Amino acid sequence: MTIEYDIFLDDVIIGVTKLEKADAPMGVVFGDINFNDSKFNYDFLRKYCVINNITFSEDAESEFINTNNIPALIVKDKALNLIQGISRSISGMDAEGFEINIIGIEYSLYETLFPHHVSYYNSLFK
């Protein structure tokens, strides 16, 4: 069973992710973003960062952006549990898609919300 997580920006749902990738010991999850509107693209993200003083790096020619922490970027599961760590960011490009990264999730919360990532990590050492 695949779980989808809702992604909000400024309390507006902008898409979903499966948070299908992880670094369990570091309390990190990340995954592809499926935006619910084509307006959420490189230009939108760049403008959002400029207006909200979010530090980012970019390659305008390839429409690539990599943001630093976006405080108003919120991820929730279907039970409305908040998935937050010390940083939530977006990276990617229009041509290849975008990814959300959540870094530094407290471990007891991580174990509760992502037991499949913890199990997979533990299986590497058996």
Side-chain angles (χ1 to χ4, degrees):
M1 177 175 97
T2 303
I3 299 170
E4 283 193 338
Y5 303 86
D6 294 323
I7 304 169
F8 297 82
L9 185 61
D10 291 333
D11 298 323
V12 174
I13 189 164
I14 62 170
V16 297
T17 182
K18 295 178 183 169
L19 296 176
E20 67 274 15
K21 304 166 200 163
D23 183 342
M26 298 299 291
V28 173
V29 290
F30 50 107
D32 297 332
I33 299 173
N34 293 311
F35 288 116
N36 60 14
D37 191 317
S38 62
K39 74 178 181 182
F40 300 120
N41 57 20
Y42 164 81
D43 290 329
F44 172 87
L45 292 168
R46 185 183 192 291
K47 183 177 179 180
Y48 183 89
C49 288
V50 169
I51 290 169
N52 293 282
N53 295 315
I54 306 294
T55 305
F56 65 96
S57 55
E58 69 178 322
D59 178 357
E61 186 174 322
S62 64
E63 297 182 318
F64 170 83
I65 191 165
N66 183 36
T67 75
N68 281 6
N69 182 46
I70 304 174
L73 185 65
I74 304 296
V75 179
K76 295 180 182 179
D77 66 14
K78 298 304 178 190
L80 301 178
N81 292 307
L82 208 54
I83 316 297
Q84 63 182 14
I86 59 172
S87 177
R88 295 169 306 282
S89 61
I90 294 176
S91 62
M93 61 178 62
D94 283 345
E96 296 182 14
F98 294 88
E99 185 173 83
I100 187 166
N101 302 280
I102 306 172
I103 299 169
I105 300 169
E106 194 274 323
Y107 198 72
S108 63
L109 178 62
Y110 195 98
E111 284 183 309
T112 301
L113 296 174
F114 305 105
H116 55 291
H117 289 317
V118 173
S119 294
Y120 174 76
Y121 176 75
N122 289 336
S123 74
L124 297 175
F125 301 99
K126 291 183 180 180

